[in-house]
Amino acid sequence: MDFNLIGLPYDRTQTFRKGTSRAPDMFRSIFPKLETYVNGVDLTEHFIEDLGNLTKEELQGANITKFPIVIGGEHTVTEWIVDKLKPKNVIIFDAHPDCELSEGHDGVTRRLAEKGYNVYLMVYGLRAISKAEKEYLNTRKVKVIEAFDFSKIKGPTFISIDLDVFDPAIMPAVGNPEPDGITFSELIGILGNLETDIIGFDFVEYTPLEKDNEVYLSLAGKLIYRVMSELIKKKEIEK
Ligand SMILES: [Mn+2]
């Protein structure tokens, strides 16, 4: 199984902490330092073609021939890659529902739903909801789901991971940290139960700290490697 790495270093609408535009290149600097034998899978046997850092327009014209692993950038970029790949479903892990009536990163979930994608917010880690967002969620245009709902999700599915879904004790390098998030093993466990056809992943909102970025980048980088190893295992079982 081969992958395309795509950097979308867009950072325009962050209101609290800025800096996500630096994330794709920071991840590229940490990947070579990480162990490539992950959960029984030798990632060096799988080709990773880096398409570089792209603008919205460049992404629209890009030739994605392999499984895309997208690194943001703020959460706004999920809309770009979803519009490029045109999945049936989008599953989002996020501390925030991103359902504001906004053109920014805090409205991305809502915009995707309004465009007609089946958008699902994972209940795990979702924990900071504004009154306006609660009212939008009440319309049921975006569904908040639990793991037992996975059997209902059929067809091509894109998965977006806003790194603020994690507890800030393990991942403080995000634009809008919120207390009481989930752990890495909880996220991997949830993803492992997904039976649907996954066609792409993004990892967004990594926002560098003043120091210790190597530590948090290596943890986020290991998450990406682990997700890749899970995808490879899944494809091998399906063969
Ligand atoms: Mn988000």
Side-chain angles (χ1 to χ4, degrees):
M1 181 176 180
D2 298 329
F3 299 89
N4 277 141
L5 184 68
I6 301 168
L8 299 178
Y10 181 81
D11 182 11
R12 291 279 170 79
T13 73
Q14 285 284 11
T15 47
F16 185 49
R17 295 184 62 240
K18 287 188 180 292
T20 54
S21 59
R22 291 163 57 203
D25 285 344
M26 293 177 91
F27 277 93
R28 287 187 181 94
S29 72
I30 206 76
F31 282 141
K33 299 180 183 176
L34 303 181
E35 172 62 50
T36 50
Y37 187 69
V38 181
N39 198 32
V41 175
D42 185 353
L43 292 177
T44 63
E45 293 174 358
H46 300 267
F47 182 62
I48 301 173
E49 183 189 5
D50 188 350
L51 299 186
N53 290 339
L54 307 179
T55 63
K56 186 179 183 179
E57 290 69 32
E58 287 166 342
L59 178 67
Q60 279 167 356
N63 194 15
I64 302 172
T65 55
K66 303 171 180 71
F67 187 98
I69 299 281
V70 172
I71 299 178
E74 57 171 68
H75 215 155
T76 306
V77 303
T78 299
E79 187 176 3
W80 305 359
I81 184 69
V82 166
D83 280 343
K84 172 77 178 174
L85 299 175
K86 301 259 189 304
K88 185 166 175 241
N89 314 298
V90 183
I91 301 178
I92 299 171
F93 291 76
D94 198 327
H96 318 88
D98 293 353
C99 285
E100 302 288 357
L101 183 57
S102 128
E103 288 303 308
H105 72 136
D106 56 355
V108 63
T109 307
R110 180 172 177 155
R111 294 198 301 278
L112 289 171
E114 293 294 333
K115 282 182 168 178
Y117 300 103
N118 295 331
V119 185
Y120 302 94
L121 275 168
M122 291 300 315
V123 71
Y124 314 106
L126 182 64
R127 60 200 187 276
I129 305 171
S130 75
K131 194 175 176 193
E133 288 178 313
K134 177 67 184 155
E135 284 164 6
Y136 186 75
L137 291 175
N138 285 344
T139 68
R140 301 281 293 155
K141 288 181 183 175
V142 170
K143 304 230 174 5
V144 178
I145 58 166
E146 298 185 41
F148 63 77
D149 295 314
F150 284 170
S151 59
K152 296 178 204 157
I153 301 172
K154 309 273 187 220
T157 301
F158 183 85
I159 299 183
S160 175
I161 313 274
D162 186 325
L163 292 168
D164 66 27
V165 76
F166 292 120
D167 194 275
I170 57 169
M171 185 47 66
V174 293
N176 295 74
E178 301 288 350
D180 295 330
I182 62 173
T183 66
F184 277 43
S185 57
E186 283 170 325
L187 178 73
I188 293 295
I190 296 161
L191 291 174
N193 287 317
L194 261 173
E195 293 289 325
T196 188
D197 173 24
I198 302 169
I199 63 161
F201 261 93
D202 71 31
F203 300 86
V204 296
E205 297 275 335
Y206 187 89
T207 310
L209 299 171
E210 295 288 317
K211 60 186 180 98
D212 295 335
N213 279 296
E214 284 236 309
V215 176
Y216 298 113
L217 277 169
S218 71
L219 296 176
K222 281 167 190 270
L223 171 75
I224 295 173
Y225 273 12
R226 178 61 188 266
V227 165
M228 289 166 67
S229 80
E230 296 288 337
L231 287 164
I232 291 163
K233 280 188 170 181
K234 191 173 178 296
K235 291 276 180 218
E236 250 138 52
I237 291 165
E238 285 167 4
K239 257 191 225 164

